Amino acid sequence: LAKTTQPISMDSYEGQEVNITCSHNNIATNDYITWYQQFPSQGPRFIIQGYKTKVTNEVASLFIPADRKSSTLSLPRVSLSDTAVYYCLVGGNFNKFYFGSGTKLNVKP
Amino acid sequence: DSGVTQTPKHLITATGQRVTLRCSPRSGDLSVYWYQQSLDQGLQFLIQYYNGEERAKGNILERFSAQQFPDLHSELNLSSLELGDSALYFCASSRRPGQGADEQYFGPGTRLTVT
């Protein structure tokens, strides 16, 4: 059972870097880790995905340690429009999927 | 716009009734996933289909069933509805699950209210 846990909420200021960590102690060998962003009344939107080490795209970085029991989403220089709920999702390869409980990020001016 | 469509957007029905939620995946996507989002349970994975076949099952109640049709659209059937089934139901699609993990694109959801 790949139970995932995240902090309930985080506050930040515009222009700062934000790091959100997800714990997934029972991750399966062939599970991937994916992060999503969700605004109210919308479906989750893909941010980034990884299996191990570090992945970077145009909007975020994902850090996964060697034991893969946690992952950290890094958002560089957040803006007000990044205020949303961020979820980690563990699963893949026809395994079950497990969402974290979500981290509500509040970006202040 | 993710390219995934879901109908209806809103559904209000009474306890004991049966409803069908419909999902059309993005063009070219072979896999469809269903999720339930409620305030107390968060986002819960229900079931995954790939090219018409069930491939992974999560916390889907026996009162719920789903299928994926030859044209790849999917339907989620909820029966003997209870007040606790009130939630947002999301469909997602992806291209090639099973070869690593695929990026899932989520639809706008169907909001079900059971009264």
Side-chain angles (χ1 to χ4, degrees), chain B residues 1 5 8 24 30 35 50 54-55 60-61 64 66 68 83 98 112:
Chain B
D1 185 359
T5 60
S24 292
L30 298 178
Y35 293 88
Y50 175 67
E54 180 186 307
R55 297 308 299 262
I60 187 166
L61 300 172
F64 296 0
Q68 186 179 28
L83 295 177
L112 173 66

Side-chain angles (χ1 to χ4, degrees), chain A residues 16-65:
Chain A
Q16 288 190 332
E17 178 185 74
V18 170
N19 297 308
I20 306 173
T21 297
C22 179
S23 296
H24 27 79
N25 290 321
N26 297 315
I27 188 169
T29 303
N30 53 356
D31 281 343
Y32 278 68
I33 301 151
T34 313
W35 283 81
Y36 287 85
Q37 176 192 56
Q38 188 179 31
F39 296 108
S41 300
Q42 293 186 23
R45 189 174 73 173
F46 175 89
I47 301 173
I48 197 166
Q49 182 182 85
Y51 182 79
K52 59 181 177 181
T53 63
K54 178 183 174 182
V55 179
T56 298
N57 63 21
E58 62 276 8
V59 299
S61 294
L62 178 59
F63 300 90
I64 305 169

Side-chain angles (χ1 to χ4, degrees), chain B residues 84-109:
Chain B
D85 297 326
S86 295
L88 256 175
Y89 290 85
F90 287 108
C91 168
S93 72
S94 69
R95 204 152 298 249
R96 299 182 306 274
Q99 299 176 22
D102 241 4
E103 178 179 332
Q104 295 181 36
Y105 291 86
F106 282 76

Side-chain angles (χ1 to χ4, degrees), chain B residues 56-74:
Chain B
K57 208 166 189 175
N59 301 323
I60 187 166
L61 300 172
E62 286 192 12
R63 300 183 285 109
F64 296 0
S65 65
Q67 59 183 125
Q68 186 179 28
F69 295 86
D71 67 353
L72 301 177
H73 91 272
S74 178

